[in-house]
Amino acid sequence: MSELGNYLKETREEKQITLDDLQRTTKIQKRYLAAIEEGNFDTLPGIFYARAFVKTYAEAIGLDADEVLETYKNELPNPQTEAVDLPSRSERVKTSARTAPSRPGKGRGKSLASILVPILLIAAVVLVVVLIWNISGRDSGGEVQNEQEAGQTDTYDPPENAGDEEGEGAADEDEADEDEAADEESGSEDEQTDKEPQLSLEETSGNVSTYILTNVEAIETLKIEMGEGSYVQVRDRDGQAMDENGGDYKDDFEPDVSGLDALELNIGNGYGVERVEVNGLEVELLETDHQYVTITVEEQE
């Protein structure tokens, strides 16, 4: 029997509390309570149950649970040793960025307008020059003929608004191109705004499920409906524990995860977890007792 188990058992017996009484109080099966007293943590559903069960046991017999965990921490198994190395989000983002096609339509209207405007202006200038040259040529021929016949010289004044008409036509076409480009860009923005948040399974490897959350800026909510005997630990993207729930089995577990761009769930007795939701979207759990779920926010290209 371990020192921790012996201490818990002696305290329980001093207060005349039986294992049956303790089972009713803590909702922990009697065989698991006996295993804790004997120091046989390997018989628990998973080693991460050790801290949660010992904490509940200590509180039920009137001890300071945090003091007990700190005093006998060397006897308790460390659940952090079960952490799974997952591919970093930056590597997946770099890969998707290299393979993602460029979005059609963006900037096409502006590029088209920047090409058409100079061409139309040059064409207008050339047309005016050709018209003036033709008119001047005809006038020169008429002057020679008139001088020969009547000895008089006529001059020709070109239309004052010829250039203005050409300029107005080019301006109208330029304005139409700009309107078309603005409509295309507005349509692209509206289409992007209408997109709904999506949660998709990227891959499953052993007891590890990797999900991608798109069309959102960050993770806002996490809700877990706990079942009897279930355990959930929430970690950040670096694998550091943020919160855990292993005692209030039938209460909803809603840890504060607002603003995170990634999180990991360490789930024990997965059959006892009734439902997991992130940002209101359901996460499909594996049909296994112990599993990990990773959720990462990615921008949709």
Side-chain angles (χ1 to χ4, degrees):
M1 180 178 295
S2 67
E3 292 183 9
L4 170 59
N6 188 47
Y7 175 58
L8 293 175
K9 182 177 181 180
E10 288 180 354
T11 304
R12 175 180 61 79
E13 291 177 346
E14 286 176 1
K15 297 187 178 183
Q16 297 182 351
I17 300 174
T18 66
L19 288 178
D20 292 328
D21 295 334
L22 200 58
Q23 177 178 255
R24 284 192 296 271
T25 302
T26 63
K27 306 301 182 183
I28 300 174
Q29 295 182 23
K30 182 178 178 180
R31 61 192 179 97
Y32 293 150
L33 297 172
I36 292 173
E37 291 182 348
E38 295 170 1
N40 295 329
F41 297 112
D42 292 339
T43 63
L44 299 181
I47 63 172
F48 48 83
Y49 276 94
R51 290 181 63 85
F53 281 10
V54 169
K55 181 178 180 181
T56 303
Y57 186 123
E59 291 174 346
I61 61 176
L63 296 176
D64 186 333
D66 294 333
E67 182 178 345
V68 171
L69 292 176
E70 178 64 24
T71 302
Y72 298 98
K73 62 182 179 181
N74 293 332
E75 290 192 32
L76 296 172
N78 185 3
Q80 294 292 337
T81 57
E82 291 192 356
V84 178
D85 293 332
L86 299 174
S88 65
R89 175 173 176 270
S90 58
E91 294 179 357
R92 296 197 300 272
V93 171
K94 289 180 180 179
T95 303
S96 61
R98 289 197 299 268
T99 58
S102 60
R103 183 166 52 197
K106 184 176 181 181
R108 182 179 59 189
K110 292 183 178 179
S111 300
L112 183 61
S114 63
I115 295 174
L116 288 177
V117 170
I119 293 176
L120 291 174
L121 291 176
I122 293 173
V125 173
V126 172
L127 181 59
V128 171
V129 171
V130 171
L131 289 174
I132 294 175
W133 182 80
N134 288 336
I135 293 172
S136 299
R138 288 197 299 270
D139 289 345
S140 298
E143 288 179 4
V144 172
Q145 185 174 2
N146 290 336
E147 288 177 358
Q148 291 175 350
E149 294 178 354
Q152 297 180 352
T153 302
D154 295 332
T155 60
Y156 173 77
D157 295 329
E160 295 180 358
N161 60 350
D164 294 340
E165 291 178 356
E166 294 296 331
E168 290 177 359
D172 291 340
E173 292 183 9
D174 185 21
E175 189 174 329
D177 291 337
E178 291 180 355
D179 291 341
E180 181 181 353
D183 291 341
E184 290 183 1
E185 186 171 355
S186 176
S188 177
E189 291 178 355
D190 293 340
E191 181 181 351
Q192 194 172 29
T193 303
D194 294 338
K195 290 183 178 179
E196 296 293 334
Q198 292 186 353
L199 182 67
S200 57
L201 178 63
E202 185 179 57
E203 65 173 333
T204 300
S205 178
N207 65 340
V208 180
S209 300
T210 302
Y211 282 86
I212 300 299
L213 182 61
T214 55
N215 299 330
V216 297
E217 295 182 358
I219 297 173
E220 298 298 338
T221 60
L222 175 64
K223 181 177 180 181
I224 304 171
E225 296 181 10
M226 305 289 291
E228 183 175 356
S230 58
Y231 170 86
V232 175
Q233 182 185 61
V234 182
R235 303 173 179 172
D236 59 19
R237 66 161 42 254
D238 298 322
Q240 297 298 318
M242 298 177 58
D243 203 349
E244 65 181 20
N245 188 354
D248 300 330
Y249 302 121
K250 294 186 179 179
D251 292 343
D252 289 343
F253 181 34
E254 299 184 47
D256 182 11
V257 296
S258 59
L260 294 181
D261 61 357
L263 61 80
E264 180 187 56
L265 302 179
N266 180 6
I267 301 175
N269 190 12
Y271 299 108
V273 177
E274 298 178 5
R275 185 179 179 87
V276 176
E277 289 184 359
V278 59
N279 283 30
L281 303 175
E282 183 177 3
V283 178
E284 295 292 338
L285 299 180
L286 300 175
E287 293 295 330
T288 183
D289 184 58
H290 181 207
Q291 59 187 294
Y292 294 89
V293 177
T294 299
I295 302 171
T296 305
V297 176
E298 284 194 3
E299 297 181 359
Q300 186 70 27
E301 293 294 339

